[in-house]
Amino acid sequence: DQQVKQNSPSLSVQEGRISILNCDYTNSMFDYFLWYKKYPAEGPTFLISISSIKDKNEDGRFTVFLNKSAKHLSLHIVPSQPGDSAVYFCAASAVGGAQKLVFGQGTRLTINP
Amino acid sequence: GAGVSQSPSNKVTEKGKDVELRCDPISGHTALYWYRQSLGQGLEFLIYFQGNSAPDKSGLPSDRFSAERTGGSVSTLTIQRTQQEDSAVYLCALEWGDLLTFGSGTRLTVV
């Protein structure tokens, strides 16, 4: 049972444009959501998070939006840069901490010059 | 990732052989996780160590998998009688507050 789903395995965006990565979840108990970024041959690194009490969190070029009624969150990157090319994982937790993190399958983002 | 060293980085083994994967936290942390990423799949939780508490083994896929953490530091994940479906990247992670810091992983290929 895939509780966190990233339905797009890959996404290609032109440099300078907006990248939008989507994530859906099924467990209504999830209250904390994170995005991780992974380069080849490296472990994932934390990018941005959002608590269920908010619907938007912004950090520089990165913004995460949470729609609790739709059980959907998205990551916006604008403007997209070549260094943003990586695999992005959405993750969710039901207890607000790392222990119960459930990850999506990941979306490979490619930024084209 | 900073603070977590994993070895080997790559391992090719024959089906049926046992393998041992190592996670070496550079700095002392009480909480350590093992995850794996299979092709086309998300990161799958395997096991969690927290201090002297009994580990949470709820994510281990079968009894062929085991892990230990000696002295609250180095951890080893052992897979006995490996199968082709065990092929994946195995990641060790340390807990920083609510977040995880991952090692670079061990890519295991069972042939």
Side-chain angles (χ1 to χ4, degrees):
Chain A
D1 176 32
Q2 193 75 32
Q3 296 187 66
V4 178
K5 297 180 182 179
Q6 294 175 255
N7 292 317
S8 298
S10 63
L11 176 67
S12 187
V13 174
Q14 194 168 2
E15 181 178 0
R17 299 291 183 100
I18 184 171
S19 296
I20 301 176
L21 297 102
N22 294 302
C23 178
D24 297 292
Y25 62 95
T26 58
N27 189 342
S28 57
M29 298 301 291
F30 287 146
D31 60 4
Y32 189 59
F33 305 88
L34 308 91
W35 284 93
Y36 280 80
K37 175 180 178 179
K38 185 182 184 300
Y39 291 118
E42 295 183 14
T45 56
F46 169 74
L47 190 58
I48 192 168
S49 65
I50 188 167
S51 164
S52 60
I53 63 174
K54 302 175 79 172
D55 55 18
K56 176 183 175 182
N57 188 27
E58 187 173 353
D59 183 3
R61 297 185 299 113
F62 302 91
T63 303
V64 56
F65 295 92
L66 175 62
N67 182 333
K68 289 186 289 292
S69 61
K71 294 191 178 67
H72 177 84
L73 67 156
S74 60
L75 174 68
H76 293 209
I77 307 172
V78 57
S80 300
Q81 299 175 353
D84 296 331
S85 295
V87 176
Y88 290 79
F89 289 96
C90 166
S93 170
V95 294
Q99 182 175 357
K100 302 297 183 184
L101 275 178
V102 179
F103 287 83
Q105 306 96 312
T107 297
R108 180 177 300 279
L109 175 65
T110 302
I111 306 301
N112 302 309
Chain B
V4 187
S5 176
Q6 289 189 248
S7 59
S9 55
N10 283 284
K11 175 72 176 179
V12 180
T13 190
E14 291 181 353
K15 178 182 173 182
K17 294 287 181 70
D18 297 351
V19 294
E20 189 173 277
L21 312 180
R22 179 184 171 102
C23 173
D24 193 347
I26 295 174
S27 55
H29 278 82
T30 58
L32 183 150
Y33 300 76
W34 282 95
Y35 280 82
R36 75 174 176 182
Q37 184 190 0
S38 303
L39 187 64
Q41 301 295 314
L43 290 166
E44 178 188 3
F45 167 77
L46 297 177
I47 190 168
Y48 166 64
F49 294 92
Q50 170 63 42
N52 295 321
S53 303
D56 178 354
K57 303 180 182 179
S58 60
L60 294 178
S62 77
D63 58 7
R64 296 186 295 104
F65 287 72
S66 63
E68 63 176 20
R69 191 176 186 198
T70 54
S73 181
V74 174
S75 178
T76 54
L77 176 69
T78 301
I79 309 173
Q80 296 177 309
R81 305 181 302 282
T82 52
Q83 303 295 314
Q84 288 185 328
E85 61 264 28
D86 299 335
S87 297
V89 176
Y90 289 81
L91 291 157
C92 174
L94 302 180
E95 188 172 46
W96 291 83
D98 292 338
L99 306 178
L100 296 176
T101 296
F102 288 85
S104 299
T106 294
R107 180 176 295 279
L108 175 66
T109 304
V110 181
V111 297

